[in-house]
Amino acid sequence: MKTLAILHASQLVTLAGPKRPRVGKEMSELAIIRDGGMLIRDGKIDIVGASKEIGKNAGDAEVIDTGGRVVLPGFVDAHTHLVFAGNRLDDFEHRAHGESYEQIAAAGGGIWSTVEKTRAANEADLLAQAKKHAAWFLKCGTTTIEAKSGYGLSVEDELKILRVMRRLDQETPLEIVPTFLGAHAVPRELRESEYVDLVINEMLPRIASEKLAEFCDIFCERGYFDIEQSRRILTAATKLGFKLRAHIDQLTNSGGAKLAAELGATTADHLEKTDQEGIAALKSANVQPVLLPGSVYALGSTSYPRAREMIDAGLAVVIATDFNPGSSPTVSMPMILSLACTQMKMSPAEAITAATVNAAYSLNRGDKIGSLEPGKRANFSIFDCEDYRELAYWFGFSQVHSVYVRGKRAH
Ligand code: NIG
Ligand code: FE
């Protein structure tokens, strides 16, 4: 593999810093190098510094002159529902006519309609659709995503989705971290208690033995899984070695933040309806909040999570797309940066920290990705702008110039 010398970034946004997720004021410290550069060897970052210094060490490296553009670590999208069949255009149109997410689900749309299509699709079809979406992520500057199952809701269909994720990770440059979300909804053919038993007794052990997922997630919400069912499933998952993420307080405040803290979850996601008490509970166990403003926006709601209070409480906030066909049809982390700043009052620097290094730690990969530091993977993106704040400021179009994964051009 050829050594690369990346030169003349107007801002090389390194996010170098302590080897842990960033909290409080640290979220505003991006460790920017002006006229910065990097030497990349064997797909890893070897030296980071001023262009002049990198130039001196470049030897016969292939030079990539970024021409005064901004360079950033690849975005790490810590919450997506990547693998599904079809779309939810009808739901979208119904919402435009004023129907709510819950009303549409009750009328036969919602998660269940995607489950029916996903069950009917074979592995090859799912893989083809997911590859198209994987290319979209790369195009927007994202190099690693977490991906959840959850549109199968039977043993075979959940396994099918998780196998598609494994193949995507192997066959595309996008890095995939798999999460099992069997408890996304109760399938129509089973009673709630029967399905909870199926998840615990059959799905979790099978997925653990085939090593198809690192995390276990649950949709803890009125009409989906209540606190007691969530506790049972997540406790069983912990015993099998899964780490935990959970959809909490998206539509109603169910006390899920306390449960996430009690079980030592790695992340609690959504949190649109979480109050001060819930924030304090998350802090007591240092659970990382994963905020998903794309789903608030796309559902036409205004109830964004309380990002400022979470940052002030010392939580290591993460932002992600929640890419899925129902509530958040976007792969664009730049769009999420814009929403984080305009709707949740995060600063551009805080939003970038939440979309890179903090997200990497929430996926247990803080030692490998999320910042531009020697020894880490050479996952980075070059943007057609001069100031990192432009990424959150201009919205609705792509400023991505090029994207690299492990030192290889991926877009
Ligand atoms: O994160 N809330 C549950 N899951 C998704 C929505 C899934 C869907 O509507 O298909 C979410 O918003
Ligand atoms: Fe989600």
Side-chain angles (χ1 to χ4, degrees):
M1 214 182 162
K2 230 177 146 25
T3 301
L4 295 182
I6 313 296
L7 301 179
H8 304 303
S10 60
Q11 297 181 334
L12 188 85
V13 182
T14 68
L15 288 120
K19 295 188 189 324
R20 53 168 173 73
R22 312 293 158 74
V23 295
K25 290 209 166 54
E26 293 167 356
M27 286 190 69
S28 309
E29 293 160 11
L30 300 183
I32 293 171
I33 303 173
R34 284 173 208 286
D35 193 10
M38 297 188 285
L39 205 65
I40 311 287
R41 262 187 237 283
D42 300 322
K44 286 193 174 168
I45 300 168
D46 189 19
I47 315 178
V48 179
S51 280
K52 238 189 192 165
E53 186 201 333
I54 302 298
K56 276 185 209 150
N57 287 286
D60 63 352
E62 179 185 333
V63 171
I64 296 174
D65 186 340
T66 68
R69 295 184 172 88
V70 168
V71 177
L72 224 76
F75 292 123
V76 177
D77 190 342
H79 184 135
T80 85
H81 304 250
L82 177 69
V83 179
F84 56 85
N87 57 49
R88 297 257 283 283
L89 288 169
D90 293 337
D91 292 16
F92 178 67
E93 196 165 353
H94 283 298
R95 271 202 307 281
H97 290 126
E99 288 175 46
S100 73
Y101 182 81
E102 284 166 303
Q103 283 167 338
I104 291 166
I111 292 173
W112 182 250
S113 62
T114 299
V115 170
E116 285 181 317
K117 292 193 190 102
T118 305
R119 283 181 172 182
N122 62 31
E123 207 170 306
D125 294 337
L126 286 177
L127 183 66
Q129 180 163 342
K131 276 191 176 169
K132 174 172 146 186
H133 295 153
W136 289 357
F137 277 101
L138 289 165
K139 204 172 165 179
C140 291
T142 298
T143 51
T144 303
I145 68 167
E146 182 262 13
K148 305 173 194 300
S149 67
Y151 291 118
L153 310 187
S154 72
V155 178
E156 281 316 314
D157 291 303
E158 286 294 304
L159 288 170
K160 175 175 74 178
I161 291 169
L162 291 164
R163 279 194 218 106
V164 167
M165 288 179 196
R166 180 177 278 179
R167 285 189 58 188
L168 271 173
D169 185 58
Q170 292 162 348
E171 295 175 22
T172 77
L174 187 68
E175 300 179 332
I176 315 275
V177 180
T179 293
F180 168 60
L181 175 59
H184 196 193
V186 177
R188 293 270 154 98
E189 67 274 8
L190 294 178
R191 284 201 298 270
E192 270 178 39
S193 63
E194 289 172 331
Y195 188 60
V196 171
D197 288 345
L198 183 75
V199 169
I200 293 175
N201 299 327
E202 291 188 44
M203 292 184 178
L204 279 169
R206 184 85 187 269
I207 289 156
S209 76
E210 294 193 27
K211 293 195 169 44
L212 279 167
E214 292 178 32
F215 291 91
C216 177
D217 195 340
I218 190 158
F219 190 16
C220 180
E221 183 63 62
R222 179 177 69 197
Y224 292 85
F225 297 89
D226 65 20
I227 293 284
E228 221 16 74
Q229 293 165 329
S230 301
R231 181 183 281 111
R232 274 189 65 207
I233 290 175
L234 295 176
T235 303
T238 302
K239 286 194 185 129
L240 288 166
F242 292 93
K243 295 203 158 19
L244 308 181
R245 319 180 83 78
H247 285 68
I248 300 283
D249 298 344
Q250 179 180 11
L251 308 169
T252 55
N253 183 338
S254 64
K258 262 193 201 144
L259 180 70
E262 171 196 319
L263 299 177
T266 304
T267 68
D269 302 41
H270 278 288
L271 306 173
E272 283 89 328
K273 297 282 157 53
T274 303
D275 55 15
Q276 265 301 331
E277 213 183 315
I279 292 173
L282 296 178
K283 180 57 196 150
S284 72
N286 281 327
V287 179
Q288 282 192 263
V290 179
L291 308 182
L292 308 165
S295 64
V296 182
Y297 169 79
L299 290 178
S301 156
T302 49
S303 113
Y304 287 91
R306 305 183 189 186
R308 279 260 58 86
E309 287 173 46
M310 293 178 195
I311 293 171
D312 292 346
L315 289 169
V317 168
V318 175
I319 56 175
T321 60
D322 194 15
F323 174 67
N324 75 73
S327 66
S328 195
T330 183
V331 295
S332 171
M333 285 301 284
M335 178 69 192
I336 300 305
L337 296 177
S338 167
L339 291 170
C341 297
T342 59
Q343 309 302 308
M344 304 197 298
K345 307 301 176 205
M346 291 171 71
S347 70
E350 288 170 338
I352 283 174
T353 300
T356 54
V357 71
N358 277 8
Y361 277 103
S362 87
L363 296 179
N364 250 337
R365 281 162 173 70
D367 57 337
K368 295 190 179 70
I369 55 173
S371 65
L372 302 176
E373 295 179 272
K376 285 201 172 179
R377 274 180 212 153
N379 292 4
F380 60 95
S381 302
I382 302 175
F383 293 89
D384 268 326
C385 55
E386 289 174 23
D387 185 312
Y388 73 88
R389 292 173 297 180
E390 292 182 72
L391 295 178
Y393 169 70
W394 307 108
F395 72 95
F397 72 103
S398 175
Q399 297 172 80
V400 174
H401 172 275
S402 47
V403 180
Y404 291 78
V405 175
R406 299 186 195 218
K408 273 184 53 196
R409 182 95 185 245
H411 171 74

